Amino acid sequence: DGDGNRCSRTSLVGMGNHPNEWSPVGQMTDAEVLARTIYGEARGEPIEGMAAIASVVMNRVVKGGWWGNSISKVCLKPGQFSCWNDDDPNRPLLERISINDPLVGPVYAQCLAIATMAVMSLLKDNTQGSYHYHTLSSKPWWVENRVPSVTIGGHRFYNTVK
């Protein structure tokens, strides 16, 4: 939900620099970390929804400060993206994902394409500068008295949360 992670352990994840390699999380490129974050947070969303998750990450990178100053630091910051939590059911999926897997590969390839565009500064922000989001089915404490900047797919995005 854009707010939940723990990356203290070294985990093995599929697709390091080559689709058939395995790499520790700390050795993945920013594009790989972002693609896995998009997959973990929005794999059931349309392309616009996946791009919106990437936009939130990139907005946080640009803002820097508490969130970190790189894509990997933002995505893997404890407590931010729940798909990276050790106890999240998405975590094992992220650890073994590969574009060669016939079940998840095509969707992951879309996530990787979006992440690559974001890393190259070619992705248009469709969230109106949002730093936060949550699923439509949840209502985190921080949304109290806030109006979403935009709703895309199954997520509400906010650009007014400090």
Side-chain angles (χ1 to χ4, degrees):
D1 64 310
D3 289 308
N5 158 42
R6 223 189 256 162
C7 191
S8 57
R9 68 182 183 153
T10 299
S11 302
L12 295 180
V13 292
M15 192 174 157
N17 295 323
H18 189 275
N20 295 320
E21 287 182 15
W22 290 87
S23 303
V25 170
Q27 293 178 6
M28 289 189 304
T29 66
D30 277 347
E32 291 167 330
V33 172
L34 181 55
R36 283 174 169 77
T37 304
I38 295 166
Y39 184 87
E41 298 285 316
R43 68 182 168 276
E45 295 292 317
I47 296 290
E48 296 79 13
M50 292 180 188
I53 301 304
S55 292
V56 166
V57 171
M58 299 310 291
N59 291 339
R60 289 180 179 191
V61 170
V62 169
K63 183 154 183 142
W66 182 83
W67 284 304
N69 59 1
S70 74
I71 291 169
S72 293
K73 286 180 181 177
V74 167
C75 290
L76 300 174
K77 184 164 181 67
Q80 295 306 298
F81 294 94
S82 61
C83 64
W84 289 107
N85 288 346
D86 286 335
D87 61 352
D88 190 286
N90 285 306
R91 180 69 186 244
L93 294 173
L94 300 181
E95 292 176 352
R96 68 176 185 267
I97 197 166
S98 168
I99 59 172
N100 296 325
D101 184 325
L103 295 177
V104 300
V107 174
Y108 179 64
Q110 288 179 321
C111 296
L112 192 54
I114 292 166
T116 300
M117 289 179 61
V119 168
M120 296 174 64
S121 300
L122 300 174
L123 187 68
K124 184 177 185 284
D125 180 3
N126 62 353
T127 70
Q128 299 177 18
S130 294
Y131 298 108
H132 294 82
Y133 66 91
H134 66 84
T135 62
L136 298 179
S137 62
S138 68
K139 188 173 181 186
W141 63 268
W142 50 263
V143 301
E144 189 72 29
N145 298 318
R146 303 212 191 280
V147 177
S149 55
V150 65
T151 299
I152 302 171
H155 293 96
R156 287 193 176 100
F157 296 83
Y158 297 82
N159 58 13
T160 59
V161 180
K162 303 291 181 209

